[in-house]
Amino acid sequence: MIALLHSEWERLWKRKIAWIFLIAIPLIILATSKYYIGHNLVRPPGGPEHTTAENFPVMAMIEQLIVVFNVLVLVLLTLSFTEEYRSGQLRMIMLRSYSSTQLFWAKWIAFALLMALFFIIYLLFAVMAGYTFFKSSPQQILFYYDHTVPSGDMILYTLRYYGMAYATVMGTASVFIAIGVISRSSTAAIGLGMGYLLCSLAFPLIYEMSNRVLGLGLPAVLKYLSLTEIQFSGIAVMLSNAKALQSLHLGLWMICILVVYAAFFMAIARLIFTKSDRWI
């Protein structure tokens, strides 16, 4: 199994998209820094949208998580699952006496490790850019917080934010893997994946508008059925210490949503991937 995992790790690094993203991380951070420098001109200190050296890593993740990381995940998984199957590469691996279940989990673990590495590198560059381009502040004002946070506590908050962002990416990846194993071509997998992302982005807007216009009176928490909504505002809500939000147990709700997504779509993906007649 270790040899298979090592093989999958090497195969991921043979993908140009992995190297392109790795090289692009400093450029993405630089572009994000430039955006927030301009943003600070219209957002003076005193609000959670004002960027400081200490909160820039979180702001940089908020800005790029939904589009950059989700699209990267979609492309990587499509190349790893759909294209390798269609090109016959997986059949060659199966001839080495590895089971389809071992192959499935080796691919998943290698992908999870690669994404963890990208998150760590992204965080390191964001920290360096934060102290290079922004002024330091002893107190941070965060979204959904009742009080300011000392810079020392901001380190733990940042690590927790990145950890939850990584969890949401893994939840989204489970959907993309299910799409990848049922798709008949890489083009179809990319198209269906992009369609899922657009639907996930549109759902909270349509839900809230319908709820308000039609007066349905449905709970607002249901908008977090969308994984992109959890990425957009849910992570900050989960990490909030605001008393008004803590009583709603929104964090527990969103964690349950993530678990259900991951368990349901991974089960489907594994079931289809490990069908014996799939390799004939």
Side-chain angles (χ1 to χ4, degrees), residues 2-256:
I2 297 298
L4 181 59
L5 177 60
H6 184 260
S7 173
E8 289 301 324
W9 175 261
E10 289 184 334
R11 291 156 70 84
L12 278 176
W13 280 109
K14 288 181 180 177
R15 305 291 181 187
K16 290 181 181 177
I17 183 68
W19 286 103
I20 290 173
F21 182 71
L22 183 65
I23 295 170
I25 286 178
L27 301 178
I28 294 171
I29 293 294
L30 186 61
T32 308
S33 303
K34 186 176 180 181
Y35 167 77
Y36 279 116
I37 289 171
H39 194 258
N40 274 359
L41 298 177
V42 295
R43 298 288 182 182
E49 294 184 358
H50 184 82
T51 305
T52 66
E54 288 78 9
N55 74 8
F56 176 72
V58 170
M59 302 295 276
M61 179 53 67
I62 292 173
E63 190 63 29
Q64 305 298 347
L65 178 59
I66 293 180
V67 176
V68 174
F69 279 91
N70 283 343
V71 172
L72 170 69
V73 168
L74 173 60
V75 176
L76 270 177
L77 291 176
T78 298
L79 294 175
S80 180
F81 281 85
T82 311
E83 187 183 270
E84 288 190 3
Y85 169 67
R86 294 300 162 196
S87 64
Q89 295 179 54
L90 293 185
R91 292 186 181 87
M92 298 301 294
I93 298 174
M94 295 299 294
L95 294 177
R96 301 179 195 170
S97 73
Y98 292 115
S99 70
S100 54
T101 299
Q102 287 178 309
L103 180 57
F104 179 84
W105 288 117
K107 282 185 170 296
W108 172 252
I109 294 171
F111 166 77
L113 292 174
L114 182 68
M115 290 308 301
L117 178 63
F118 284 157
F119 267 75
I120 292 171
I121 294 173
Y122 190 89
L123 173 60
L124 293 176
F125 275 103
V127 170
M128 288 189 286
Y131 284 98
T132 302
F133 297 112
F134 299 94
K135 293 181 180 178
S136 183
S137 173
Q139 297 289 327
Q140 309 302 316
I141 302 174
L142 302 176
F143 293 102
Y144 308 111
Y145 259 64
D146 287 338
H147 57 75
T148 58
V149 174
S151 294
D153 292 348
M154 190 65 200
I155 297 173
L156 179 59
Y157 180 88
T158 301
L159 293 176
R160 292 170 64 196
Y161 198 99
Y162 270 66
M164 289 308 306
Y166 177 77
T168 65
V169 165
M170 290 296 104
T172 305
S174 65
V175 180
F176 291 153
I177 290 178
I179 291 174
V181 297
I182 65 173
S183 297
R184 293 299 179 184
S185 68
S186 297
T187 304
I190 294 288
L192 289 172
M194 292 301 295
Y196 161 75
L197 280 179
L198 291 175
C199 290
S200 186
L201 286 167
F203 171 74
L205 299 175
I206 296 173
Y207 176 78
E208 289 186 325
M209 184 178 296
S210 302
N211 213 13
R212 184 173 58 255
V213 173
L214 301 177
L216 300 177
L218 297 174
V221 69
L222 290 182
K223 72 177 181 179
Y224 290 116
L225 291 173
S226 162
L227 288 182
T228 54
E229 184 63 22
I230 293 177
Q231 292 177 327
F232 176 67
S233 65
I235 298 174
V237 170
M238 278 191 275
L239 300 181
S240 166
N241 78 338
K243 291 182 179 178
L245 293 176
Q246 286 181 338
S247 61
L248 300 177
H249 305 293
L250 294 177
L252 179 60
W253 166 256
M254 282 182 270
I255 289 173
C256 289

